[in-house]
């Protein structure tokens, strides 16, 4: 199992960039080289890119962290977390900060990110889907926050978007039980914005991308910035941010 190779295909086609998790033999299990490649790609995207699509190859999104990284018998694998624990707590905290980079980058309001979830998104897979602004799920897909069942916590920037999407109580129930959440429920509780038969995922994605890029790029970006920051601001702060952003928009639209 080669974990020196990123195992991810990164491409740009006009205004759409695609991150394809591409380790189908191990269900697109994730590892540090994959995260580094995705972070570098997202952090250096050209300004023209308006949408980032994240999906997995082979009919699944991602089975989460590559479990060989936490297998004490496999300390020779690149990025072994077992080996990492020889370092100080602060060094481990800093390293996990590096691993969180692509998850933070997916939330960058420079673009709208869409996770296309087929099969399942487990642990780090679920957190990568949560890092995206929008989720489209196949109707037979499921997600699972497996970490507590392994004695761990979700640490790849997934807890905040989960709480934002479904509220504290439902997020707690989903995480503490580590249960599978099916697509129908995911759609109903606001985890997925669209749930469609697997055969319709591509056409649904194409339609959504077309609608998302149909309007003025700056107006959509400024609106996204406002919405993304809304929950961390007071109403007065948000009102100020709205009118400040609108001045620039009015000048652009009216040419004054
Ligand atoms: N890491 C490494 N290899 C994995 C993997 C993972 N997370 N998930 C699956 N694979 C491998 C299997 O070992 C198997 O390899 P072999 O063909 O060499 O035997 C291959 O992928 C296919 O797996 P299955 O035969 O199990 O396929 P399936 O379709 O029947 O089941 C599955 C798929 C439900 C994902 C099941 O494999 C599974 O439960 N995998 C483990 C999921 C998991 O616990 N992930 C970690 C979550 S925690 C996390 O991500 C974050 C964190 O911080 C800890």
């Amino acid at each position: 199992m080669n974990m020196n190779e990123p195992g991810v295909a990164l491409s740009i086609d006009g205004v759409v960039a695609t991150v394809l998790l591409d380790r189908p033999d191990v269900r697109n299990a994730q590892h540090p080289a994959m995260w580094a490649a995705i972070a570098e790609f997202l952090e250096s995207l050209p300004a023209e890119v308006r949408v980032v699509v994240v999906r997995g190859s082979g009919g699944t999104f991602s089975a989460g962290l590559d479990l060989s990284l936490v297998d004490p018998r496999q300390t020779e694998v690149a990025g072994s977390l077992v080996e990492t624990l020889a370092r100080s707590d602060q060094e481990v905290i800093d390293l996990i900060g590096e691993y969180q980079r692509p998850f933070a980058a997916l939330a960058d309001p420079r673009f709208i990110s869409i996770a296309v979830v087929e099969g399942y998104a487990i642990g780090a897979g679920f957190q990568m889907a949560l890092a995206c602004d929008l989720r489209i799920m196949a109707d037979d897909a499921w997600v699972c926050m497996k970490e507590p069942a392994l004695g761990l916590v979700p640490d790849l920037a997934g807890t905040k978007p989960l709480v934002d999407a479904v509220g504290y109580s439902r997020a707690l129930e989903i995480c503490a039980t580590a249960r599978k959440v099916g697509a129908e429920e995911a759609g109903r509780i606001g985890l997925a914005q669209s749930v469609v038969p697997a055969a319709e995922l591509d056409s649904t994605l194409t339609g959504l991308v077309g609608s998302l890029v149909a309007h003025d790029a700056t107006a959509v970006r400024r609106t996204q910035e406002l919405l993304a920051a809304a929950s961390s601001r007071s109403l007065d702060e948000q009102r100020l941010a709205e009118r400040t952003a609108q001045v620039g928009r009015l000048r652009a639209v009216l040419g004054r």
Side-chain angles (χ1 to χ4, degrees):
M1 203 176 309
N2 188 350
M3 272 184 278
N4 292 311
E5 295 295 323
V8 61
L10 306 164
S11 59
I12 300 175
D13 181 8
V15 296
V16 181
T18 300
V19 173
L20 178 69
L21 309 175
D22 197 16
R23 302 180 76 213
D25 292 352
V26 287
R27 308 301 188 255
N28 306 318
Q30 301 175 29
H31 58 101
M34 177 188 276
W35 294 327
I38 297 172
E40 280 157 31
F41 176 69
L42 295 176
E43 289 165 4
S44 59
L45 281 175
E48 309 83 78
V49 170
R50 297 185 60 182
V51 173
V52 173
V53 175
V54 184
R55 61 192 314 175
S57 65
T60 63
F61 188 78
S62 170
L65 183 76
D66 191 309
L67 290 173
S68 64
L69 294 167
V70 288
D71 182 347
R73 294 161 304 173
Q74 299 193 49
T75 50
E76 76 291 350
V77 298
S80 164
L81 294 171
V82 182
E83 290 293 280
T84 298
L85 292 176
R87 306 184 197 182
S88 71
D89 282 6
Q90 189 55 54
E91 285 174 310
V92 177
I93 289 167
D94 293 345
L95 190 65
I96 296 174
E98 269 299 299
Y99 297 163
Q100 291 171 332
R101 266 174 63 207
F103 298 83
L106 282 168
D108 190 325
R110 279 186 302 134
F111 47 75
I112 298 174
S113 49
I114 307 170
V116 180
V117 180
E118 290 175 87
Y120 39 76
I122 307 171
F126 186 18
Q127 295 192 70
M128 190 163 282
L130 283 167
C132 294
D133 298 304
L134 307 173
R135 282 156 293 282
I136 302 175
M137 284 181 77
D139 59 6
D140 57 355
W142 50 272
V143 298
C144 171
M145 198 66 93
K146 183 82 177 286
E147 287 81 346
L150 301 175
L152 302 170
V153 299
D155 67 341
L156 295 168
T159 55
K160 181 171 169 51
L162 181 62
V163 171
D164 286 349
V166 303
Y168 164 76
S169 298
R170 178 61 68 199
L172 175 61
E173 181 267 323
I174 287 171
C175 292
T177 62
R179 70 177 172 90
K180 294 179 182 177
V181 179
E184 183 277 326
E185 180 184 357
R188 188 162 31 85
I189 65 177
L191 265 181
Q193 284 60 55
S194 300
V195 176
V196 297
E200 293 171 24
L201 273 178
D202 285 345
S203 58
T204 302
L205 175 66
T206 303
L208 177 61
V209 170
S211 303
L212 291 172
V213 303
H215 304 297
D216 180 87
T218 309
V220 173
R221 276 197 185 114
R222 294 291 97 83
T223 303
Q224 186 178 355
E225 287 164 5
L226 285 168
L227 295 171
S231 66
S232 61
R233 291 196 187 118
S234 69
L235 179 58
D236 282 349
E237 289 167 340
Q238 187 69 0
R239 289 168 55 234
L240 174 61
E242 287 174 357
R243 55 189 191 261
T244 304
Q246 193 71 308
V247 178
R249 290 289 74 225
L250 285 167
R251 292 200 189 289
V253 171
L254 302 176
R256 302 292 166 96

